[in-house]
Amino acid sequence: MLTLITTVKLVVEIALLALLGQWVLGLIAGPRKDSNLFYQLLQQVGRPFVLLVGVLPPRFVLQRHHPLVAFLMLGFVWALVTVAKISHCLSVGVQLCR
């Protein structure tokens, strides 16, 4: 169970950092961000989560806000998985979670 929780937490953390890095690099690169190789790489890492958000929220959420909604939803999932990991580690013993 701990392996599953840790794996989900890791995937969510990678997606969160990719979306955050994409946003920061977009601020730095400005309008030329689409031609930046690293921006495109981060965009590919975060794309599955942004596309998933395209299906979930109501239609009045603009498409340009989908990365922000994906980031917020991933942050919520990260918090839930962190609480689940803490709860699991407390129930089986902290020594077994190392």
Side-chain angles (χ1 to χ4, degrees):
M1 186 64 166
L2 182 62
T3 305
L4 176 67
I5 292 172
T6 305
T7 303
V8 170
K9 190 169 183 277
L10 178 65
V11 169
V12 169
E13 287 172 348
I14 290 171
L16 278 170
L17 288 175
L19 289 171
L20 181 65
Q22 182 182 349
W23 177 71
V24 169
L25 193 55
L27 287 177
I28 293 170
R32 298 184 320 171
K33 64 184 176 190
D34 292 327
S35 64
N36 189 316
L37 178 66
F38 295 108
Y39 183 85
Q40 292 173 359
L41 177 67
L42 292 173
Q43 194 174 30
Q44 290 299 319
V45 172
R47 184 179 307 267
F49 303 99
V50 173
L51 290 176
L52 180 65
V53 164
V55 177
L56 296 178
R59 296 289 175 222
F60 63 83
V61 176
L62 298 176
Q63 187 171 3
R64 68 179 183 197
H65 293 144
H66 285 180
L68 175 63
V69 174
F71 184 81
L72 294 174
M73 291 177 94
L74 284 169
F76 182 71
V77 170
W78 179 84
L80 287 177
V81 173
T82 301
V83 168
K85 183 176 180 179
I86 291 169
S87 174
H88 179 73
C89 287
L90 290 177
S91 67
V92 299
V94 178
Q95 294 300 329
L96 294 176
C97 285
R98 291 183 184 231

